[in-house]
Amino acid sequence: PVPDPKTRALRMLVRLRTRDGTERLSVPDDASRAGDLRALIADAFAVPIRDQLLSTNQALLTAHDDALAPFRAEFADDNALLSALGVTHGAMLFMRYTVERKATVQQVKANVQRFGAKMTVDDLVAKHIRIERQDQPVCASVSFERAAANQFQGYIGAALGFRIMRCGIMFGTVDAQTKEVKVDTIYEPPQPHNNEYDILCEHENTEEWKRVQAVAKLLGLEEVGCIFSQTARNEDDDFTVSSHEITRMAVWQSAARRRRKAESTSGEDVDDLYVTAVVKRDDGGDVHFEAFQCSTQFVDLCERGVIVDPRTPGKALVVPGIGDGDEAMAAATSADETETAAASASASEDAPAGAAGTVFTTRDVMVGIKDVREVDNDWFVVPVKILDHVHPLLTSLFAVENRLTPCGPAELKDHLQLCRGKPFAEALADFHILLFLSAHFDLATDMALLVDAVMQKGTVLDGYKTIVEAIAGCA
């Protein structure tokens, strides 16, 4: 606690995180109970006591309305001591409410200026970008095949201990009518095993990626999303996803949207159903699966070069296939604003670690009633409902490619011995086995016949069976 300069009484500062930003609240020493805290919040931020939903768990901010019951009991007792609730000097609390609020001075980030400054009325109409929250995802739900999900999270926890980031590409099916996504398998591309803060995988121009796409197509699957694990956060990192993560999500989502539009027979815009799954471990050691989409607005802003790339401070994010982000930045910024925009963009280079929960922009955007060039990531993250299912055919028992653990003939031999007594087609009913075998068979002919036998639960030709066993060293 620190002394109040006016009364010299001890007070503590509490950080209060909402969907509108992070604010600080001064709590006098004599305000020691939950009811006192609620009254202070109502007075300082004009949020009625009855509308305040408080928690020490950041999941409150992204939870669906029908999943708020567990949070209501935490601060329900007005007589509960703040110390017993874990509220101490410097603590971070999370608050949810329904009332409309105007941003307070505390909420406004750096680089704030009076709305409309340096703009004519025509400029304002042409260039104004108002940041808006997307309450509902485009995707209605995402269902994970249980074995595939467990196979991914098991490796992250047991082998990597959540010390480095790991990503995968999810393949499954999409129901365009119900907007429901099913994830049936997860491909893990080549990636470094010493990365802690960013999603790094360059796979799209590799021969393996071509085989991945071919095998997935033969199985009737398509790319439906990406998945990554988060490393342990610092205790002050209260964001859902970092600036590195959300910009990577947007790039993948943009590519998927353009790919689906190109594949559409009508050529019209298609629904953005690409999903990102996040796997993380909490302080108690429990592993959590969460699913999100970037808001449609955020993907659009990335494509237009309005978002600064956190990996190259001072430069606009480049979305492959859209054009040079610097060109988009120049097009979006008038000549007399270019110098100011560059200075704002480069500010992210000196930003503190906690700013990883925000993205910088190359031009002014409007949040609430203020022009800002730094926006909280939670404005652009939309939670997606999670379900699970069991695939009626495919299993996830074989070793996964590109891990620290081996994936080769010896593992194929072990798998075939494990499946001894089962039909040979059933033993091969695993995406990762078929991907491994695709390096030994012709994709257009041999793999097509193998996959057809798997899908139809038919008989694998003796010649193919002999070759597979020879690859495994069973002959």
Side-chain angles (χ1 to χ4, degrees):
V2 295
D4 189 303
K6 295 181 180 179
T7 65
R8 310 306 298 176
L10 289 178
R11 63 182 174 87
M12 66 176 177
L13 293 177
V14 174
R15 294 174 295 164
L16 197 64
R17 179 74 176 273
T18 71
R19 286 184 169 183
D20 295 314
T22 301
E23 303 171 86
R24 287 172 172 78
L25 178 68
S26 177
V27 181
D29 189 50
D30 57 356
S32 60
R33 300 184 182 275
D36 301 329
L37 179 65
R38 289 182 178 279
L40 288 171
I41 292 173
D43 182 59
F45 305 127
V47 178
I49 292 177
R50 65 180 181 277
D51 196 30
Q52 298 173 18
L53 182 54
L54 296 168
S55 177
T56 56
N57 187 345
Q58 75 175 77
L60 170 68
L61 300 183
T62 55
H64 289 280
D65 291 341
D66 57 359
L68 296 178
F71 301 99
R72 298 190 186 280
E74 191 172 354
F75 283 79
D77 183 3
D78 284 343
N79 291 319
L81 291 174
L82 294 179
S83 58
L85 296 171
V87 182
T88 58
H89 180 62
M92 174 68 76
L93 293 180
F94 303 90
M95 181 171 70
R96 189 158 170 163
Y97 47 78
T98 60
V99 296
E100 293 289 335
R101 293 183 58 211
K102 292 183 178 180
T104 65
V105 174
Q106 291 174 317
Q107 283 179 287
V108 178
K109 302 285 186 180
N111 304 310
V112 177
Q113 64 184 48
R114 180 176 57 84
F115 177 65
K118 299 184 180 180
M119 285 188 179
T120 65
V121 173
D122 290 339
D123 289 336
L124 179 62
V125 172
K127 299 180 179 181
H128 150 202
I129 298 175
R130 179 185 292 275
I131 301 301
E132 299 176 345
R133 192 180 303 282
Q134 182 175 317
D135 293 326
Q136 297 295 327
V138 179
C139 174
S141 65
V142 56
S143 179
F144 290 90
E145 208 284 325
R146 294 178 190 172
N150 287 334
Q151 192 177 47
F152 183 83
Q153 77 170 23
Y155 178 69
I156 301 300
L160 305 181
F162 284 88
R163 291 185 297 272
I164 63 174
M165 295 191 72
R166 182 80 180 168
C167 74
I169 309 300
M170 305 190 298
F171 285 86
T173 57
V174 174
D175 189 321
Q177 298 299 320
T178 63
K179 297 181 174 56
E180 296 173 337
V181 173
K182 278 190 173 183
V183 177
D184 292 319
T185 192
I186 301 172
Y187 162 68
E188 297 180 25
Q191 52 200 289
H193 284 85
N194 59 353
N195 176 49
E196 298 182 25
Y197 306 109
D198 199 3
I199 309 167
L200 299 175
C201 58
E202 303 297 336
H203 58 278
E204 294 190 353
N205 295 319
T206 65
E207 288 300 317
E208 183 176 88
W209 178 242
K210 295 177 182 177
R211 292 191 286 110
V212 168
Q213 292 178 305
V215 172
K217 185 175 182 180
L218 289 172
L219 290 170
L221 307 178
E222 63 177 295
E223 183 181 345
V224 296
C226 63
I227 183 171
F228 63 86
S229 62
Q230 288 181 333
T231 54
R233 303 289 198 197
N234 295 325
E235 61 180 16
D236 292 335
D237 292 344
D238 57 323
F239 46 83
T240 304
V241 292
S242 71
S243 55
H244 285 72
E245 292 162 356
I246 194 172
T247 49
R248 184 73 70 179
M249 290 163 57
V251 168
W252 279 338
Q253 197 166 314
S254 170
R257 182 169 64 182
R258 285 178 280 118
R259 182 170 59 249
R260 288 179 62 83
K261 182 177 180 179
E263 294 172 353
S264 173
T265 55
S266 64
E268 300 177 354
D269 289 339
V270 295
D271 289 322
D272 191 352
L273 300 177
Y274 200 82
V275 179
T276 298
V278 180
V279 185
K280 60 184 178 181
R281 186 169 61 188
D282 62 22
D283 295 336
D286 294 326
V287 177
H288 299 276
F289 257 81
E290 296 178 316
F292 303 100
Q293 285 190 296
C294 291
S295 69
T296 302
Q297 182 187 45
F298 185 68
V299 177
D300 291 339
L301 292 178
C302 289
E303 292 179 345
R304 293 167 55 188
V306 177
I307 302 300
V308 172
D309 190 343
R311 300 160 192 81
T312 55
K315 292 185 176 293
L317 179 71
V318 176
V319 178
I322 296 296
D324 193 327
D326 290 330
E327 294 178 1
M329 176 179 174
T333 310
S334 62
D336 63 340
E337 292 180 293
T338 301
E339 183 177 352
T340 305
S344 172
S346 63
S348 61
E349 185 172 13
D350 301 320
T358 61
V359 289
F360 288 81
T361 60
T362 60
R363 52 176 290 188
D364 291 338
V365 296
M366 192 174 178
V367 177
I369 61 172
K370 295 290 184 179
D371 279 351
V372 300
R373 296 206 177 181
E374 184 184 0
V375 184
D376 195 299
N377 293 345
D378 283 349
W379 277 92
F380 304 119
V381 177
V382 190
V384 178
K385 180 180 179 181
I386 289 183
L387 304 171
D388 66 349
H389 68 278
V390 175
H391 197 280
L393 184 64
L394 295 179
T395 64
S396 295
L397 300 175
F398 186 64
V400 176
E401 60 286 335
N402 301 313
R403 289 183 173 180
L404 293 172
T405 52
C407 175
E411 286 66 43
L412 178 59
K413 181 178 180 180
D414 291 342
H415 179 82
L416 293 179
Q417 290 176 343
L418 181 67
C419 297
R420 184 178 299 169
K422 295 181 179 179
F424 201 72
E426 185 177 340
L428 299 184
D430 187 304
F431 172 81
H432 302 288
I433 285 183
L434 294 171
L435 177 60
F436 174 73
L437 293 177
S438 68
H440 301 273
F441 289 97
D442 182 78
L443 284 171
T445 56
D446 302 324
M447 282 305 299
L449 291 172
L450 271 177
V451 173
D452 183 67
V454 169
M455 297 294 288
Q456 302 300 325
K457 296 184 179 181
T459 300
V460 176
L461 296 177
D462 289 340
Y464 290 141
K465 183 178 179 180
T466 300
I467 294 174
V468 171
E469 290 176 339
I471 293 172
C474 297

